[in-house]
Amino acid sequence: MAQENTEPPTPPSPIETLDIEAVLAKLSTSEKVDLLAGIDFWHTKAIPKHGIPSLRFTDGPNGVRGTRFFNGVPAACLPCGTALGATWNVPLLQEAGTLMGKETIAKGAHVILGPTVNMQRSPLGGRGFESFSEDPVLAGSSAAAIVNGIQETGVVASIKHFIANDQEHQRMAVDSIITERALREIYLLPFQIAVRDSKPGSFMSSYNKLGGTHVSENPRILDDILRKEWGWEGLIMSDWYGTYSTSEAMNAGLDLEMPGPSRWRGQLVNHALMANKISKQTLDARVREVLRLVSRVAKTGVPGNAPEGSRDTPETSALLRKIGGESIVLLKNDNKALPLDKSKTVAVIGPNAKIAAYCGGGSATLLPYYATTPFDGIAAKASETKYSVGCYSHVLLPLLGQNLKTADGKVGVTFKAFTDPVEVSDREPVDVIHLADTYMYLVDYYHPKLTEDLYWTEVEGFFTPDEDGDFEFGLTVHGTGKLFLDDELLIDNETVQRSGGSFFNVGTVEEVGVKNLKAGQTYKIKVEYASGVTSKLSDSDGVVSFGGGGIRIGGAKVIDPTEEIEKAVALAKSVDQVVICAGLNKDWEQEGHDREHMDLPGRTNDLISAVADANPNTVVVIQSGCPVRMPWADKVSSLAQAWYGGNETGNAIADVLFGDVNPSGKLPLSFPVRNEDNPAFLNYRSSHGRVLYGEDIYVGYRFYEATLKATQFPFGHGLSYTTFRLSELAVTNDGTNLTVQVLVENTGDRDGSEVVQVYIAQRAPCVKRPLKELKGFTKENIAAGQSKVVTVTIETKYATSYWDEERDTWVSEKDTYDVLVGTTSAETPLKASFEIEESKWWRGL
Ligand code: BGC
């Protein structure tokens, strides 16, 4: 963002551990104040004379984008949060975290903004894909594993968004109304577990209010609970533009305002000090955390303002493929259509077949080193692979970039930036860039000659269709723009603008134009654009405008939906096996807005039904971060959930489909039949500025089990190509730890991994409690025909306690507790019990 870069970068200098109190004593008040806010989108202030470098932050949570949304340096994209949660594999997630740490170092950064540990209250959450699970123990254990992996490299993890940012609707303005019990048992618990098991060096406060006070200025949350009760030490930063006050935020414990330049600190802090609204001790306490963060990241060896690089290695690909494969959940395989036979013909059908849906949308997005499509993954293994699109499923037309060429023959477009509008006939570009794609989020676009918020760009590429027919083009902007085809105006997204969900909800809808084109003929596509400040859209509540601007150019051949389904059916009939690749993508699930419904897009349901009728060996692979409705579930015999799988999306899917990887993923969240069934249905979204968490502690399976409501697929469900038998449950409680042991036998003929899930149920609690709650789990790989004794150790107080609202503490009540063990929440055949002899109330970790 041109206007945000007010300071020239300081040259790279190595970071050294600071003598914090000595440095603090030397800093002047204005130097201290300077340290308390970013200087731009991703950097903190350097004060070289005191050995303080500029720290760099980069987004997570499923990869490390570096400092540029626009024209970023390519990175490793890991599977999305729900996919990582679906592995139920703590050591593997730690490896994933280590990879993130190494990628952060390659990007010259010190802090990764992740993991995301919010809750999927509803299947519709725009960022539900970023978080791990609806269950606090699975979410907390996954988060701790990732943080441990990241911090092993010296990089600090900034766990987010603390707390109760569980929807996108009016995310800055909404007041989350939650009982203390639900707050403790569901929403805070994953963060508490992460603090206990991994000590994240930083927390990011959330945008929303909690009980009437914004979290970034909420002393009860930031100071009483996080710092005092949990004894956590580290730096708290605001979410981007999520600081809303000077004194309140600093007094509550918010150390760093991000991004910069500051809106709430600088001179305002001096004024507040003068008026004694902030004490010198508070100022020092905030600065001390910034200095501690500098010391903490010294071991990365990354100097301030380091260049950004990549580390695209075969080891990275192998790890991404392993994680991707382990995340896939085999939901059904009734007629054993899976694994597929490599020697037989296979048709790959569906809107997600030839796109790599590798990531959800928003700040989690990054430019991957590469991304494999399901079609490519399958074609690499099958003897003969055929394809038919079947239907479209996009919200916005597919990005056109990969189908365009620049004047000098490169794949993509030429982007030119100007300080004058198009009417100035002799204007010269100040910047010319080649871009491989046509999504341009200009929030952090920086060029020294673009010193004003207002600037202009021109984007040009050449399109040569390989079929005759009508083609639809789309232009979406934050700013204003027009698309020309061979210099003829096709789309005007300037004169009249309509608000849409694009660019974190500040951009327009996609305006479209259709043109009949001839195969083999080359057409020039040009977009004339003016930056974000020219937007004619008015601001709406709770929307975060990061400035800059955005351009997105899409396009696709116009199809007749009924004809395409007929073509897909004919193809399905002509082959031995069929794979349907359907689902959502980053336009459906993205930061800035929640989904409106749980349905698959367009004609997808019709396509799946028709193809499943045409060929009994039809396998459906759904890619989405959160559950979708599956009205055809009963008629499809084989079904897998493949999330957004990162760079190796297509290969990981193919590995599972052909049995090169034996599936072992388990659902980290319940899949309801319909959106109306989910516990947050009545209360999701902001209503006059507040959202009531009316389902209380009954989130996910806790609700479906208590209300006997059938799910499409239950929490913890996931099949394998082999079979397992659990027996010989033994439970011991030594007062501190509960040790659960069980014999697991692989009774099938393939090696495989199984997740042992340990649920606890209190027999006669003083308050209502869920029928059972996950308290521990482990995943074990067991060779065909072999068996293993598997151990799960759980701290007894964590296994038994609920939040006692009367005493405002956790309580582990005197009672009998059942230990229920199984491989899905729906079936826990093994049962034992233990006693708590005396009630105990406790706080802290
Ligand atoms: C998101 C954060 C993200 C930040 C920087 C915010 O909109 O909520 O998760 O880290 O932007 O991109």
Side-chain angles (χ1 to χ4, degrees):
M1 184 165 33
Q3 70 277 19
E4 298 289 2
N5 286 272
T6 52
E7 303 208 8
T10 52
S13 53
I15 300 191
E16 281 170 24
T17 311
L18 303 172
D19 178 344
I20 290 167
E21 295 309 318
V23 174
L24 198 56
K26 279 192 248 156
L27 288 170
S28 68
T29 301
S30 72
E31 286 170 333
K32 289 179 184 174
V33 172
D34 280 353
L35 289 173
L36 295 183
I39 52 165
D40 63 16
F41 227 64
W42 306 115
H43 296 92
T44 60
K45 171 89 178 173
I47 310 185
K49 71 172 179 200
H50 295 305
I52 303 169
S54 170
L55 297 185
R56 178 178 295 164
F57 303 158
T58 169
D59 260 322
N62 45 229
V64 179
R65 189 180 52 249
T67 65
R68 300 208 305 258
F69 274 106
F70 175 62
N71 195 23
V73 178
C77 186
L78 288 98
C80 66
T82 42
L84 295 175
T87 67
W88 294 60
N89 188 336
V90 167
L92 185 64
L93 293 185
Q94 181 154 347
E95 280 185 62
T98 307
L99 173 61
M100 291 180 198
K102 289 179 182 165
E103 287 271 315
T104 306
I105 291 171
K107 290 282 183 304
H110 307 97
V111 176
I112 180 167
L113 308 177
T116 304
V117 199
N118 296 109
M119 280 284 143
Q120 294 95 357
R121 289 183 62 219
S122 151
L124 305 186
R127 296 180 87 172
F129 70 89
E130 283 188 40
S131 293
F132 301 107
S133 171
E134 71 185 20
D135 180 86
V137 169
L138 180 56
S141 311
S142 305
I146 299 266
V147 171
N148 279 326
I150 292 172
Q151 297 198 156
E152 196 179 282
T153 64
V155 168
V156 157
S158 190
I159 192 167
K160 65 189 187 184
H161 309 85
F162 192 64
I163 182 76
N165 180 179
D166 307 305
Q167 67 179 33
E168 291 304 281
H169 187 225
Q170 297 189 349
R171 61 181 171 153
M172 282 195 156
V174 71
D175 186 9
S176 299
I177 313 276
I178 314 180
T179 64
E180 189 62 18
R181 185 167 169 213
L183 182 67
R184 296 292 186 150
E185 291 183 28
I186 304 292
Y187 299 95
L188 287 174
L189 186 57
F191 288 95
Q192 180 176 333
I193 292 172
V195 170
R196 184 193 67 185
D197 295 348
S198 67
K199 300 195 173 28
S202 171
F203 264 61
M204 183 193 284
S205 59
S206 58
Y207 282 129
N208 52 287
K209 296 178 194 166
L210 181 74
T213 308
H214 277 101
V215 176
S216 60
E217 56 195 49
N218 195 320
R220 195 173 82 81
I221 296 296
L222 302 186
D223 201 43
D224 296 350
I225 296 180
L226 178 57
R227 288 204 159 110
K228 298 205 175 101
E229 198 179 314
W230 295 351
W232 173 80
E233 288 179 359
L235 173 135
I236 307 176
M237 67 176 79
S238 69
D239 197 348
W240 269 225
Y241 302 114
T243 308
Y244 313 109
S245 62
T246 305
S247 312
E248 289 87 336
M250 281 184 59
N251 288 331
L254 185 76
D255 301 304
L256 185 68
E257 174 191 351
M258 283 305 288
S262 173
R263 293 177 175 183
W264 291 99
R265 296 192 168 185
Q267 271 313 311
L268 295 175
V269 176
N270 292 328
H271 200 65
L273 283 166
M274 192 185 69
N276 213 10
K277 285 182 69 105
I278 301 170
S279 68
K280 289 205 167 112
Q281 290 72 18
T282 300
L283 175 69
D284 283 357
R286 306 288 78 92
V287 174
R288 195 175 281 118
E289 293 307 338
V290 177
L291 301 180
R292 282 190 182 145
L293 183 64
V294 169
S295 287
R296 225 175 250 142
V297 298
K299 95 169 195 237
T300 56
V302 175
N305 295 306
E308 281 185 66
S310 287
R311 46 180 307 286
D312 182 9
T313 64
E315 294 75 32
T316 300
S317 301
L319 181 58
L320 293 178
R321 191 164 180 163
K322 181 168 166 41
I323 302 168
E326 275 214 28
S327 74
I328 293 172
V329 183
L330 180 61
L331 296 171
K332 276 186 88 172
N333 197 18
D334 295 350
N335 302 333
K336 306 273 179 286
L338 289 172
L340 299 175
D341 187 334
K342 289 182 185 166
S343 65
K344 291 186 176 163
T345 52
V346 51
V348 184
I349 294 173
N352 283 42
K354 283 204 174 183
I355 62 158
Y358 65 92
C359 185
S363 59
T365 306
L366 48 79
L367 181 69
Y369 295 134
Y370 60 90
T372 55
T373 68
F375 178 86
D376 289 343
I378 293 166
K381 290 184 194 268
S383 58
E384 197 186 344
T385 314
K386 297 181 174 176
Y387 166 74
S388 175
V389 68
C391 69
Y392 282 163
S393 72
H394 44 258
V395 185
L396 303 177
L397 288 158
L399 288 174
L400 203 56
Q402 292 290 308
N403 300 318
L404 299 180
K405 291 239 166 90
T406 59
D408 57 357
K410 291 190 197 119
V411 172
V413 289
T414 304
F415 170 99
K416 294 179 184 166
F418 302 88
T419 51
D420 292 303
V422 65
E423 293 76 34
V424 177
S425 57
D426 59 351
R427 69 176 184 167
E428 287 292 329
V430 295
D431 197 9
V432 180
I433 309 174
H434 166 245
L435 299 174
D437 224 327
T438 46
Y439 179 80
M440 292 150 258
Y441 182 38
L442 299 165
V443 66
D444 45 18
Y445 173 45
Y446 170 72
H447 189 276
K449 290 195 176 146
L450 297 178
T451 52
E452 304 292 327
D453 290 352
L454 177 59
Y455 60 93
W456 292 264
T457 76
E458 183 190 282
V459 183
E460 183 190 84
F462 295 86
F463 180 56
T464 313
D466 46 20
E467 288 176 81
D468 289 348
D470 283 347
F471 282 78
E472 190 170 28
F473 296 91
L475 178 64
T476 318
V477 291
H478 172 215
T480 47
K482 287 180 174 169
L483 185 144
F484 300 85
L485 194 94
D486 279 350
D487 297 324
E488 180 194 325
L489 178 66
L490 186 66
I491 303 169
D492 179 352
N493 197 344
E494 178 182 317
T495 314
V496 177
Q497 293 202 295
R498 295 182 296 154
S499 181
S502 57
F503 301 110
F504 295 71
N505 225 3
V506 293
T508 65
V509 295
E510 180 175 59
E511 299 293 355
V512 296
V514 176
K515 189 85 186 166
N516 190 275
L517 306 182
K518 293 268 162 280
Q521 194 172 321
T522 297
Y523 300 86
K524 182 170 85 178
I525 297 195
K526 189 174 74 180
V527 168
E528 289 292 349
Y529 166 83
S531 61
V533 284
T534 65
S535 173
K536 294 179 175 149
L537 304 175
S538 59
D539 289 348
S540 53
D541 301 341
V543 167
V544 194
S545 175
F546 286 174
I551 311 164
R552 185 189 187 283
I553 309 166
K557 187 164 186 286
V558 175
I559 59 168
D560 176 324
T562 305
E563 252 174 47
E564 278 317 311
I565 292 180
E566 283 163 9
K567 277 194 224 165
V569 165
L571 177 66
K573 285 185 177 153
S574 72
V575 294
D576 303 319
Q577 334 171 80
V578 180
V579 179
I580 300 183
C581 298
L584 307 176
N585 59 38
K586 62 164 97 125
D587 296 336
W588 290 100
E589 287 185 279
Q590 62 166 279
E591 185 172 336
H593 59 92
D594 304 304
R595 269 191 298 157
E596 280 168 18
H597 56 75
M598 229 181 98
D599 294 338
L600 283 167
R603 299 285 300 273
T604 311
N605 287 334
D606 296 337
L607 173 73
I608 296 175
S609 288
V611 171
D613 285 342
N615 190 324
N617 292 325
T618 294
V619 174
V620 177
V621 178
I622 296 292
Q623 283 198 267
S624 63
C626 287
V628 296
R629 215 176 152 209
M630 303 176 175
W632 33 260
D634 287 343
K635 70 154 85 168
V636 167
S637 91
S638 293
L639 171 61
Q641 174 68 26
W643 320 105
Y644 302 124
N647 294 13
E648 289 286 337
T649 291
N651 288 334
I653 289 173
D655 286 345
V656 167
L657 293 180
F658 287 96
D660 295 329
V661 166
N662 191 353
S664 63
K666 301 276 178 179
L667 290 181
L669 62 173
S670 315
F671 275 33
V673 178
R674 308 169 306 166
N675 181 39
E676 290 77 359
D677 293 345
N678 94 74
F681 174 70
L682 291 176
N683 293 306
Y684 204 61
R685 285 172 75 78
S686 171
S687 175
H688 280 204
R690 55 90 163 148
V691 54
L692 180 67
Y693 282 44
E695 70 282 11
D696 203 38
I697 53 168
Y698 293 92
V699 173
Y701 67 90
R702 289 164 166 79
F703 172 80
Y704 298 112
E705 292 188 353
T707 55
L708 301 178
K709 204 175 275 285
T711 54
Q712 190 72 62
F713 295 103
F715 175 79
H717 170 73
L719 306 172
S720 165
Y721 297 146
T722 186
T723 45
F724 295 91
R725 186 165 54 228
L726 269 50
S727 61
E728 298 181 25
L729 173 63
V731 174
T732 51
N733 174 29
D734 66 8
T736 306
N737 287 318
L738 189 70
T739 307
V740 179
Q741 289 197 314
V742 61
L743 181 74
V744 185
E745 289 172 76
N746 181 340
T747 49
D749 56 5
R750 276 170 189 263
D751 299 352
S753 296
E754 184 53 292
V755 178
V756 172
Q757 304 173 23
V758 179
Y759 297 85
I760 306 279
Q762 186 180 350
R763 291 242 180 112
C766 288
V767 295
K768 270 197 182 171
R769 294 193 74 171
L771 294 183
K772 65 176 189 289
E773 295 177 277
L774 183 78
K775 295 296 175 184
F777 61 91
T778 186
K779 187 173 200 174
E780 293 289 337
N781 189 269
I782 302 176
Q786 300 296 303
S787 58
K788 256 188 203 172
V789 175
V790 166
T791 306
V792 179
T793 308
I794 310 162
E795 259 190 89
T796 310
K797 64 181 185 184
Y798 278 83
T800 53
S801 299
Y802 68 84
W803 187 260
D804 178 342
E805 289 196 340
E806 272 180 353
R807 293 211 191 187
D808 208 27
T809 59
W810 291 102
V811 61
S812 169
E813 273 179 355
K814 170 179 163 38
D815 202 351
T816 306
Y817 292 79
D818 290 322
V819 179
L820 306 162
V821 178
T823 57
T824 155
S825 69
E827 229 182 286
T828 47
L830 302 186
K831 184 168 166 180
S833 62
F834 67 98
E835 300 292 324
I836 294 290
E837 305 293 350
E838 202 186 323
S839 294
K840 276 200 190 107
W841 286 266
W842 61 279
R843 270 169 167 263
L845 299 179

